[in-house]
Amino acid sequence: MTGKAMIELRNVSRQFGDITAVDNLSLRIEQGEICVFIGTSGCGKSTTLRLLNKLIDCSSGEVWVDGENVATLDSKLLRRRMGYAIQSTGLFPHWTVERNIAVVPQLLGWSKDKIDARVRELLELLSLPYATFANKFPSQLSGGQAQRVGVARALAADPDILLMDEPFGALDPITREALQNELLRIQSHIHKTIVFVTHDIDEALRLATHIVVMDKGRIVQHDTPENLLNHPANSFVENLLGQSERGLKRASLQRVEQFMSALSSELPEVSIAVGSSVRQALSLMLWHRVDALCVCDQDAKPLGILPIRAVLKP
Ligand SMILES: Nc1ncnc2c1ncn2[C@@H]1O[C@H](COP(=O)(O)OP(=O)(O)OP(=O)(O)O)[C@@H](O)[C@H]1O
Ligand SMILES: [Mg+2]
């Protein structure tokens, strides 16, 4: 409790009809933290984020941002002071990358020269060369590139706070890791206060200065990654950590050929090289949404079939 509280929730609840999405939540996030929310689907993570930038209002309790009760603030003006990046990126499809990034600076009435300079600076920061990307449309970008543009847009007006709701959720594991590294690199320069929502405990452990584990609208544990790993508050947190660690550690050590079955007349469309780990195989299956892979040798000759049930067996 030494730094400056950039965000504070005081006994905040939010109901939707009979559902209590956020249940008497109190939390303090200090300037410069990366606070990561994690928890089961529907536990209230996105709702909490939306309460911070007043996309929705609290049913009871108070949200304070940078020393001000948001109930007293104009929601549009508040939102311009907070970057917001979401999984679907929310880019305008008929606008170029440059125009998409410039939205908030334009709303704020920045001069054209200042906006141009800012767009160039951000594209560079996110490893998207201006000459190549400024005039592209969102449909001409890969998922990872679009996500970078989404992050650039969230940063455009240099907000103190960045809200990120599963910003990398739709990406393949390799691009995802690259963007996580990029976010950490950028944060080491800009020192924003970042509130980040994820489903992925590895992502949480990697990015967070503090992790908030939520269940049914409540905080189960709010701690540093180290404390979470060393002192999980209860079996819910233990499960969240344990399953990831044990399952993934095991999957990283096992090779696909240990689990493949004989070839049949119908070959799966997606292939994986012999010698790959089961962890890589699972990532590929999730990414391509398939339940089997074709295991091939170095010359792309099919050797066997890897069904998902063979690797998920307890
Ligand atoms: N606008 C809304 N109207 C009615 N119910 C809502 C609304 N927004 C959220 N809810 C409900 O509130 C609860 C919390 O939803 P929320 O989106 O915050 O969950 P989440 O933790 O972000 O889940 P996920 O991981 O699936 O994104 C859910 O039961 C959801 O159905
Ligand atoms: Mg959500």
Side-chain angles (χ1 to χ4, degrees):
M1 292 283 230
T2 47
K4 174 186 168 199
M6 192 52 132
I7 294 171
E8 214 178 332
L9 296 162
R10 299 184 187 162
N11 304 103
V12 170
S13 295
R14 169 68 205 208
Q15 269 96 26
F16 294 106
D18 294 342
I19 295 171
T20 303
V22 173
D23 190 1
N24 196 26
L25 205 123
S26 293
L27 174 70
R28 192 185 142 95
I29 302 173
E30 289 180 5
Q31 203 280 324
E33 279 186 25
I34 302 185
C35 179
V36 178
F37 281 75
I38 187 160
T40 39
S41 182
C43 71
K45 304 181 293 295
S46 298
T47 303
T48 306
L49 223 58
R50 290 188 198 118
L51 289 167
L52 299 181
N53 66 0
K54 267 182 92 171
L55 278 173
I56 52 174
D57 292 318
C58 321
S59 304
S60 60
E62 290 172 2
V63 176
W64 289 70
V65 169
D66 203 7
E68 292 179 289
N69 183 339
V70 301
T72 65
L73 302 176
D74 176 80
S75 43
K76 279 205 186 106
L77 293 179
L78 176 71
R79 248 166 262 152
R80 285 175 202 167
R81 288 167 46 194
M82 295 179 156
Y84 187 46
I86 52 176
Q87 179 170 333
S88 57
T89 75
L91 298 176
F92 300 116
H94 303 301
W95 288 11
T96 61
V97 163
E98 178 158 33
R99 214 173 147 203
N100 264 291
I101 295 176
V103 175
V104 179
Q106 251 165 10
L107 284 171
L108 291 172
W110 290 17
S111 72
K112 189 176 173 315
D113 286 353
K114 190 173 168 194
I115 295 177
D116 282 354
R118 182 65 178 154
V119 170
R120 283 173 188 274
E121 181 186 29
L122 282 166
L123 284 175
E124 188 154 321
L125 192 66
L126 285 145
S127 315
L128 297 166
Y130 181 89
T132 316
F133 289 98
N135 290 312
K136 281 200 170 20
F137 289 92
S139 62
Q140 298 170 306
L141 303 173
S142 73
Q145 290 161 353
Q147 213 66 68
R148 276 163 217 244
V149 175
V151 173
R153 185 173 64 173
L155 286 170
D158 203 19
D160 294 328
I161 297 173
L162 202 54
L163 307 178
M164 308 182 85
D165 196 345
E166 303 200 47
F168 310 146
L171 301 175
D172 67 276
I174 293 166
T175 311
R176 191 173 177 138
E177 207 174 308
L179 286 194
Q180 289 165 358
N181 289 339
E182 215 136 306
L183 184 67
L184 287 173
R185 180 179 61 78
I186 292 170
Q187 173 67 352
S188 72
H189 295 294
I190 61 179
H191 310 295
K192 303 288 180 193
T193 305
I194 301 178
V195 188
F196 190 105
V197 170
T198 183
H199 267 108
D200 178 349
I201 184 69
D202 291 314
E203 182 164 85
L205 291 168
R206 190 126 186 265
L207 295 179
T209 55
H210 291 79
I211 296 181
V212 174
V213 181
M214 282 186 78
D215 186 31
K216 303 189 189 85
R218 297 185 181 189
I219 295 179
V220 181
Q221 187 166 4
H222 174 205
D223 234 324
T224 61
E226 292 74 24
N227 278 340
L228 206 77
L229 280 169
N230 293 332
H231 310 287
N234 59 21
S235 57
F236 181 83
V237 182
E238 232 163 53
N239 271 338
L240 196 72
L241 293 164
Q243 274 169 8
S244 135
E245 280 203 316
R246 263 180 277 133
L248 287 178
K249 270 199 191 122
R250 201 175 54 214
S252 300
L253 296 174
Q254 294 163 328
R255 304 285 134 208
V256 287
E257 55 270 35
Q258 292 172 250
F259 297 91
M260 69 184 182
S261 39
L263 289 170
S264 63
S265 55
E266 254 192 44
L267 288 180
E269 272 175 32
V270 182
S271 305
I272 189 162
V274 67
S276 303
S277 72
V278 168
R279 183 171 180 166
Q280 288 169 310
L282 282 169
S283 297
L284 264 182
M285 288 183 198
L286 288 174
W287 179 240
H288 291 283
R289 295 175 200 282
V290 295
D291 57 9
L293 297 175
C294 186
V295 181
C296 294
D297 70 9
Q298 278 71 19
D299 304 318
K301 185 171 150 260
L303 299 174
I305 291 173
L306 181 73
I308 194 162
R309 63 184 149 69
V311 291
L312 290 183
K313 257 188 332 214

